[in-house]
């Protein structure tokens, strides 16, 4: 399973992409990631109502080839998505890249 978060917008308009592959994690971290994915509702939310707020695109590619996606603005994450996005963006496991 591979989880990708793309955060765009904000004042500077920078795009941050962070990706975590469960195959690269130790067993406890992989189990935590799986639990967060299982608790997430993959539905599109509202765009950010915050001036210069961030927009998020969350995708999960499962080992069976299926892909689940959600798009939402800052403060409008569907249930479970905020915790998953925070784990990927703020945790030590992700590969990150910045761009415009």
């Amino acid at each position: 399973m591979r989880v990708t978060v793309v955060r765009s917008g904000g004042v500077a308009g920078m795009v941050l992409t962070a990706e975590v592959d469960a195959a690269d994690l130790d067993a406890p971290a992989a189990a935590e990631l799986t639990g967060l994915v299982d608790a997430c509702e993959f539905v599109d939310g509202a765009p950010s109502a915050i001036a210069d707020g961030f927009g998020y695109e969350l995708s999960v590619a499962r080992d069976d080839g299926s892909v689940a996606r959600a798009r939402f603005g800052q403060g409008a994450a569907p249930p479970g998505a905020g915790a998953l996005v925070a784990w990927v963006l703020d945790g030590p496991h992700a590969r990150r890249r910045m761009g415009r």
Side-chain angles (χ1 to χ4, degrees):
M1 169 176 49
R2 183 178 312 119
V3 179
T4 305
V5 175
V6 179
R7 183 184 73 192
S8 59
V11 174
M14 296 298 291
V15 176
L16 169 64
T17 301
E19 185 174 87
V20 175
D21 193 326
D24 297 336
L25 302 175
D26 61 23
E32 186 175 4
L33 179 61
T34 299
L36 288 166
V37 168
D38 290 345
C40 185
E41 290 185 21
F42 290 91
V43 295
D44 288 343
S48 180
I50 300 168
D52 295 321
F54 291 113
Y56 297 89
E57 182 175 330
L58 169 64
S59 65
V60 176
R62 296 187 184 264
D63 296 336
D64 65 5
S66 64
V67 178
R69 287 189 176 87
R71 291 185 182 111
F72 51 91
Q74 187 173 347
L84 178 56
V85 165
W87 194 90
V88 172
L89 289 180
D90 300 332
H93 308 291
R95 290 182 301 276
R96 295 171 183 83
R97 61 186 180 275
M98 295 285 290
R100 280 195 183 251

